[in-house]
Amino acid sequence: MVQNITKSRFLDLNCTNSQEILNNVKKYINKFDCPNLKLDLSKLNVLDATKVMVISSAYHYSKYPKGKIQCRVQSDSIKNLVTNFAAINLEVID
């Protein structure tokens, strides 16, 4: 279940199943006006975080072509991996 945005303004999805997170992100994007979205994926491993970021980026872009997604991750290796994808609306922070 999607929780409210925390004080740091990151959407805390409160689970570690990447498919469940993707479903929750899609629901959130459809339900709320969120051209600038912040996701906290710091609890996910490298592959799951990358999967969620890239698919969420594509889904978000289809609704908000000028929007941005900021993703909080646990390591720089995720940053390095995601920079190879052409996701112009995606920013990775740690």
Side-chain angles (χ1 to χ4, degrees):
M1 175 185 244
V2 177
Q3 289 188 347
N4 292 334
I5 295 178
T6 60
K7 290 181 183 177
S8 65
R9 306 298 300 162
F10 281 86
L11 183 62
D12 183 6
L13 299 163
N14 200 24
C15 65
T16 57
N17 179 320
S18 62
Q19 191 58 46
E20 185 179 346
I21 289 173
L22 282 171
N23 290 336
N24 288 338
V25 169
K26 287 179 182 181
K27 287 177 190 174
Y28 189 86
I29 291 170
N30 286 330
K31 187 174 182 180
F32 298 104
D33 183 33
C34 54
N36 295 307
L37 180 62
K38 296 181 179 185
L39 301 176
D40 186 353
L41 304 175
S42 59
K43 296 176 185 173
L44 297 180
N45 64 46
V46 173
L47 294 177
D48 284 339
T50 303
K51 173 184 171 182
V52 169
M53 285 189 292
V54 172
I55 295 173
S56 295
S57 171
Y59 193 79
H60 188 266
Y61 182 82
S62 69
K63 186 172 180 182
Y64 302 105
K66 295 182 181 180
K68 293 286 182 189
I69 293 182
Q70 288 183 329
C71 295
R72 178 181 288 161
V73 296
Q74 65 178 328
S75 71
D76 286 334
S77 60
I78 297 173
K79 264 189 200 180
N80 297 334
L81 186 61
V82 172
T83 56
N84 295 325
F85 295 103
I88 60 172
N89 65 337
L90 184 61
E91 180 183 353
V92 183
I93 58 176
D94 48 344

